[in-house]
Amino acid sequence: MNTKQSQQQEDEIRVKILKALAEPARLEIIRLLKNSDKEVGCGEVGENIKLSKSTVSYHFKALREAGLTSTRKESREKFVTLNKDTFDKYLPGFLDSL
């Protein structure tokens, strides 16, 4: 793969990340995850930011697809953590700004 193709792929990732973050509820979710020292359940996020479980699940999907979070499913509950490697690579310093 040449440099131009590689750069194009990196730009596509950047666009996906920025689109995922261009939503106030998702920024709240990121902030909540950042301030938590553990993985957080979908229901817990909904309670904290006053959104329904289905709405939170929709936002989780967008964040996960952008590589910003990782999701672990246990029984019927989903648990989410930040993917700090993605933030460090594409948005250095962003989490500290929240």
Side-chain angles (χ1 to χ4, degrees):
M1 181 183 321
N2 66 34
T3 305
K4 185 168 175 75
Q5 287 174 323
S6 177
Q7 188 176 25
Q8 219 171 6
Q9 287 179 334
E10 291 289 306
D11 285 348
E12 288 172 15
I13 293 169
R14 287 181 182 94
V15 167
K16 196 171 221 176
I17 289 169
L18 294 172
K19 282 182 179 180
L21 292 174
E23 165 64 52
R26 293 184 197 141
L27 287 175
E28 283 189 65
I29 292 169
I30 295 292
R31 187 176 291 116
L32 181 82
L33 294 173
K34 176 196 170 247
N35 293 328
S36 177
D37 57 354
K38 60 181 177 52
E39 58 186 8
V40 181
C42 187
E44 186 179 343
V45 171
E47 290 170 15
N48 277 286
I49 62 175
K50 310 291 186 254
L51 292 174
S52 72
K53 196 169 181 177
S54 63
T55 300
V56 171
S57 187
Y58 167 77
H59 290 307
F60 276 170
K61 181 181 178 195
L63 292 169
R64 183 181 67 251
E65 288 178 351
L68 298 172
T69 60
S70 298
T71 304
R72 178 181 67 84
K73 190 170 183 177
E74 184 176 300
S75 189
R76 295 179 64 186
E77 182 70 44
K78 288 182 182 174
F79 295 93
V80 178
T81 54
L82 287 179
N83 185 347
K84 292 185 179 173
D85 291 341
T86 300
F87 282 96
D88 291 344
K89 181 175 181 178
Y90 294 100
L91 301 163
F94 180 80
L95 292 174
D96 293 333
S97 75
L98 293 178

